[in-house]
Amino acid sequence: MMRDTKAVDSESGFLPVSGMEDGVVDGGENVQYLFPGVQVVEVKELHVTNPQRKDYDVSSSFSSMGSDGSDGSDGSADFNAKLEECQERAAWGGKLEFMLTMIGYAVGLGNVWRFPYLCYKNGGGAFLLPYCIMLAVVGLPLFYMELALGQYASLGPITIWRLNPLMKGLGYSMVIVSWLIGLYYNVVIAHVLYYLYSSFTSVLPWTTCDNDWNTKHCLIPTDSQYMRNETINATLENTTTSSPQLNFTRTPSEEYYRFNVLSQNDSIDEFGTIQWHLALSLFIAWLLVFLVLMKGIKSLGKVVYFTAIFPYIMLTVLFIRGVTLPGAGTGIAYYLKPDFERLLDPRVWSDAATQIFYSLSACSGGLIAMASYNKFNNNCYRDSLIVCFINCGTSIFAGLVIFSVLGFMALEKGVGIEDVADDGPGLAFVVYPEALSRMPVSPMWAVFFFIMMATLGFGSEFSIIECVLSAIGDEFPILRKERKYNIAFRAIFCSVAFLLGLPMICNGGIFLLNLVDYSVGGFPLLVVGLVELITINWVYGYSKFADNINMMLGHQPGKYWYICWRYGSALVIAITIIMNIAMYKEPDLDDVLYPEWAKSLGWLIAMFPIVVIPAWFLYKYCRIGGFELMKDGVKPLPTWGPISKSKQRQYADVEINVDKRLSNPAFARLMGSNMSNATTVTECSPASSTLNLIRSKNLSESDV
């Protein structure tokens, strides 16, 4: 039978049914999952007036997604409303805008300050082998899968789980991860902006020791002083006592970063107050984010022409300058020299798999959000290959830029490269600025470097925040349809995010920033990736997903994608999770361990996006009748009772008396039961619709 498609229940997404004819129900795909014996009639045709996207086969798209057009929670009134939402969705101004946005999103600060350090630490050029293997087995399949998924449905990372309403928590988890990353990522950009401002001077402020923030441990790193330090240290090693005043020194760049930029305390317990120069930088960073994203992808698509291209110009300029410096060849050789024995260390492979998630920004919802603005038949397969290879090539190229300068710095200091190499903020704000200060016309090179860092950071930050905003906009379409509401919402969001970032710019804020980065970038992304692969390729089904891709591109995915999506990628991610648990290392900053309460906070941050997945599953399962099914499942079977026939009649009499008591209205109200009304079934409720249908059919058969 065919029902009116406009009669969808606003709470559950199921069609109201007052009875059933021949056991046929058109109540949505959830019915056949719970009760395989019930025949489900699907709506095969959808009529849409004035479709705007000629290349979007709307009816087949929704039919293939395998739902009744509702995600079960957004309360839409009918199919046409949902289809209009897709058709009113904005689109990229051209293919180049999408490509540049994806490159800017995937290529970020991690390519400059994380990958080169991991490469030299884990065997130099030998690390490229596990990195490329993880790219082929995990990174590229996930990247292609998320682009295809977002492009097919033209929905954000939350609403797209109309594909499987029970797994909508996966979308919430992705958005939470992006939100947390966006909060601390903009704080790092605020540090970059402050350095950029400080570079517009004739003498860089981190080159001297006579400033207000300097301590008695500050030492300008000249050759003679380093030789004197080595002599002192060698002497101290042969004595029974040593003076920390003689042995402990800091460079001007380190003191500038710690005591001027951060005003850093010794631990997270000494949280301190807001540093107002960083608060101003953070405000400017969020203001730029709001201005760029004020009109959504229409404004973002224009800005990426600068934020995606300019970093490559700066990297090339710095590379040319770096390779012409003395000692550059030594640094590059140290960076690329392979140490194949390191490949036997499982941590090397774990670092390679984790770095793939950092590099490609997979499993955080951004790829789905950006691809959702594509045309339906865009070649997302080609885009995936191009962006992934550009991203990994950028990481390797950035390593050449960084280590050419570090080789020069090591030669200037008279020390080994391992003594000057660092990762994360230490590389960007201590080591590299010191290297820049040793170049001729150092302020000019410092300006170039920090402009490059700012554009790299903003290129990723814009896409991260747009992912969150578009996901919320898909859940609440009024924010997207009304321009004034959209702008007001984005302004409020950026304002709240600015306030939430203020604790990270206090005296102890760098400890909080490091804790959030450590907690979000590991387990949550790996768990989301594993669950996403299983949901799409096993629950929804690889064959359906392959048909969806065929509808867009005109060809099915090859065997390589089948093996990766069904088996390889999930297996590698699962092994990586186990290895990270087995080799877990407590977070620290500059060898300072966190107190117990901070470790607990880190675990709460890490578990927050993960717990959302099962929490939504249980909530949704109970709402569509799972709780009623569970209650029926724990009731005794009709065959339950004494094995002796003489005792069976006594047991039946007891059960009849209990039923009479429960059917009493007063007793039912006392016990919170609605059994007295169980015999009257007029319309399916969201919680028990399918069960009532089955019961009504059984009652009618027993009467006959």
Side-chain angles (χ1 to χ4, degrees):
M1 63 181 179
M2 184 68 68
R3 297 274 176 187
D4 181 9
T5 59
K6 294 186 178 182
V8 179
D9 182 79
S10 61
E11 290 293 329
S12 66
F14 290 110
L15 299 174
V17 181
S18 58
M20 58 189 300
E21 300 171 11
D22 299 326
V24 178
V25 183
D26 56 355
E29 199 172 58
N30 295 295
V31 178
Q32 67 183 22
Y33 287 151
L34 291 175
F35 303 99
V38 179
Q39 180 183 353
V40 179
V41 176
E42 297 182 358
V43 178
K44 297 298 183 183
E45 295 183 1
L46 299 174
H47 301 284
V48 186
T49 58
N50 300 324
Q52 299 175 5
R53 293 180 60 179
K54 302 299 183 183
D55 56 347
Y56 192 167
D57 188 350
V58 183
S59 60
S60 59
S61 173
F62 268 77
S63 175
S64 298
M65 293 299 284
S67 77
D68 58 352
S70 170
D71 63 353
S73 64
D74 59 4
S76 298
D78 55 70
F79 287 113
N80 288 334
K82 290 193 178 293
L83 301 177
E84 289 172 5
E85 288 176 20
C86 291
Q87 294 170 357
E88 292 174 1
R89 191 174 183 81
W92 296 109
K95 291 184 178 180
L96 185 59
E97 285 187 8
F98 170 69
M99 289 295 298
L100 291 177
T101 302
M102 295 306 301
I103 292 172
Y105 177 53
V107 178
L109 296 175
N111 297 76
V112 174
W113 74 24
R114 180 176 169 84
F115 177 83
Y117 176 80
L118 285 177
C119 194
Y120 106 84
K121 187 185 78 170
N122 291 317
F127 180 71
L128 298 178
L129 177 61
Y131 182 76
C132 292
I133 292 176
M134 292 301 174
L135 171 66
V137 178
V138 178
L140 190 55
L142 279 173
F143 200 94
Y144 179 28
M145 184 182 74
E146 291 195 344
L147 285 192
L149 186 66
Q151 180 174 304
Y152 179 79
S154 296
L155 296 171
I158 295 178
T159 314
I160 202 169
W161 293 103
R162 293 172 183 172
L163 176 149
N164 187 330
L166 288 175
M167 297 306 298
K168 191 175 181 180
L170 193 57
Y172 286 114
S173 180
M174 291 178 174
V175 173
I176 291 172
V177 169
S178 288
W179 172 64
L180 291 172
I181 292 175
L183 287 180
Y184 78 80
Y185 207 80
N186 229 18
V187 175
V188 177
I189 294 175
H191 296 171
V192 174
L193 293 180
Y194 185 76
Y195 266 89
L196 178 60
Y197 162 76
S198 301
S199 299
F200 288 97
T201 180
S202 58
V203 179
L204 294 175
W206 54 83
T207 58
T208 61
C209 287
D210 56 356
N211 302 287
D212 295 337
W213 58 80
N214 291 125
T215 69
K216 60 185 178 181
H217 301 293
C218 182
L219 180 66
I220 298 177
T222 61
D223 295 341
S224 59
Q225 287 170 319
Y226 269 97
M227 292 175 63
R228 179 169 61 85
N229 283 346
E230 290 178 1
T231 302
I232 293 173
N233 293 338
T235 303
L236 291 173
E237 289 176 358
N238 297 322
T239 60
T240 55
T241 61
S242 62
S243 171
Q245 299 294 332
L246 292 174
N247 195 31
F248 178 59
T249 61
R250 298 191 191 95
T251 63
S253 61
E254 183 179 359
E255 291 210 340
Y256 178 80
Y257 179 58
R258 289 190 176 185
F259 302 134
N260 181 57
V261 178
L262 301 178
S263 298
Q264 180 180 336
N265 287 336
D266 294 333
S267 72
I268 194 173
D269 288 320
E270 304 172 17
F271 213 73
T273 59
I274 294 174
Q275 302 304 299
W276 293 108
H277 58 284
L278 289 181
L280 178 60
S281 300
L282 183 62
F283 174 79
I284 293 173
W286 278 111
L287 179 62
L288 289 174
V289 170
F290 167 70
L291 293 176
V292 169
L293 300 182
M294 184 170 59
K295 296 182 180 179
I297 65 164
K298 292 182 179 179
S299 53
L300 174 60
K302 304 300 182 289
V303 174
V304 293
Y305 284 98
F306 175 75
T307 59
I309 296 175
F310 186 77
Y312 288 95
I313 298 175
M314 287 295 95
L315 278 173
T316 304
V317 171
L318 291 172
F319 175 72
I320 294 173
R321 178 54 183 156
V323 296
T324 58
L325 293 171
T330 305
I332 293 176
Y334 189 89
Y335 168 57
L336 296 178
K337 181 181 178 181
D339 181 7
F340 292 104
E341 292 183 0
R342 295 283 294 138
L343 298 182
L344 300 177
D345 186 355
R347 187 176 291 277
V348 173
W349 295 85
S350 176
D351 285 346
T354 306
Q355 176 61 20
I356 286 296
F357 286 87
Y358 276 102
S359 294
L360 299 179
S361 302
C363 302
S364 58
L367 301 179
I368 295 175
M370 297 301 105
S372 68
Y373 299 111
N374 274 337
K375 292 182 179 180
F376 184 74
N377 58 358
N378 175 66
N379 192 343
C380 56
Y381 170 69
R382 175 202 59 202
D383 296 344
S384 302
L385 296 177
I386 293 175
V387 174
C388 286
F389 288 131
I390 288 178
N391 176 275
C392 296
T394 302
S395 297
I396 298 172
F397 181 55
L400 296 175
V401 176
I402 295 298
F403 273 84
S404 65
V405 177
L406 293 184
F408 160 75
M409 186 176 175
L411 179 65
E412 285 279 297
K413 286 185 173 183
V415 297
I417 294 178
E418 64 275 7
D419 296 323
V420 297
D422 200 353
D423 70 331
L427 176 62
F429 300 127
V430 177
V431 178
Y432 211 85
E434 183 180 343
L436 294 171
S437 68
R438 292 170 168 266
M439 295 182 183
V441 199
S442 55
M444 180 187 71
W445 296 109
V447 169
F448 284 167
F449 175 74
F450 288 111
I451 288 178
M452 180 196 72
M453 295 293 288
T455 51
L456 279 173
F458 277 124
S460 297
E461 179 72 5
F462 293 152
S463 299
I464 291 170
I465 300 303
E466 178 59 29
C467 164
V468 180
L469 295 174
S470 65
I472 299 174
D474 285 339
E475 288 293 286
F476 304 96
I478 190 174
L479 298 176
R480 191 173 69 244
K481 293 179 180 178
E482 296 289 340
R483 182 181 178 185
K484 59 180 181 180
Y485 294 148
N486 187 28
I487 294 177
F489 160 66
R490 290 170 181 257
I492 293 173
F493 179 90
C494 291
S495 301
V496 173
F498 164 72
L499 296 176
L500 292 175
L502 291 178
M504 300 186 198
I505 57 174
C506 294
N507 300 101
I510 189 64
F511 289 93
L512 178 60
L513 187 152
N514 181 70
L515 183 65
V516 176
D517 178 38
Y518 185 88
S519 303
V520 174
F523 288 110
L525 291 177
L526 293 170
V527 171
V528 168
L530 179 61
V531 176
E532 185 181 21
L533 283 165
I534 294 174
T535 302
I536 294 175
N537 297 285
W538 288 91
V539 180
Y540 178 63
Y542 170 82
S543 59
K544 288 183 181 179
F545 187 52
D547 289 340
N548 299 156
I549 294 176
N550 183 40
M551 187 184 302
M552 292 187 296
L553 306 183
H555 60 81
Q556 294 266 355
K559 281 289 184 183
Y560 168 76
W561 305 107
Y562 171 80
I563 295 173
C564 289
W565 286 340
R566 290 274 289 183
Y567 307 105
S569 300
L571 179 62
V572 171
I573 294 175
I575 293 175
T576 303
I577 293 175
I578 295 173
M579 291 171 61
N580 284 350
I581 294 174
M583 299 182 296
Y584 175 73
K585 179 185 176 183
E586 292 185 349
D588 66 88
L589 180 64
D590 298 329
D591 297 326
V592 177
L593 296 177
Y594 284 81
E596 292 302 323
W597 70 266
K599 296 176 186 176
S600 300
L601 176 62
W603 277 110
L604 289 176
I605 294 173
M607 295 304 298
F608 176 38
I610 297 176
V611 169
V612 171
I613 300 174
W616 176 269
F617 183 94
L618 293 175
Y619 164 76
K620 186 64 181 175
Y621 181 74
C622 293
R623 287 294 304 273
I624 64 174
F627 185 67
E628 294 294 327
L629 181 64
M630 183 186 69
K631 291 200 304 186
D632 279 6
V634 298
K635 290 180 180 179
L637 293 174
T639 56
W640 165 251
I643 193 65
S644 172
K645 291 186 178 181
S646 61
K647 299 293 184 182
Q648 287 180 3
R649 180 171 297 276
Q650 297 180 19
Y651 175 78
D653 292 340
V654 172
E655 289 294 300
I656 292 173
N657 292 332
V658 171
D659 289 341
K660 288 181 178 180
R661 287 164 53 196
L662 290 177
S663 63
N664 183 283
F667 184 79
R669 285 193 299 271
L670 177 64
M671 301 301 293
S673 171
N674 43 357
M675 289 189 62
S676 58
N677 300 323
T679 56
T680 305
V681 180
T682 57
E683 182 174 286
C684 291
S685 65
S688 60
S689 56
T690 51
L691 287 171
N692 288 335
L693 292 173
I694 302 300
R695 289 167 179 165
S696 62
K697 184 175 185 296
N698 292 339
L699 288 174
S700 62
E701 290 178 352
S702 62
D703 291 340
V704 174

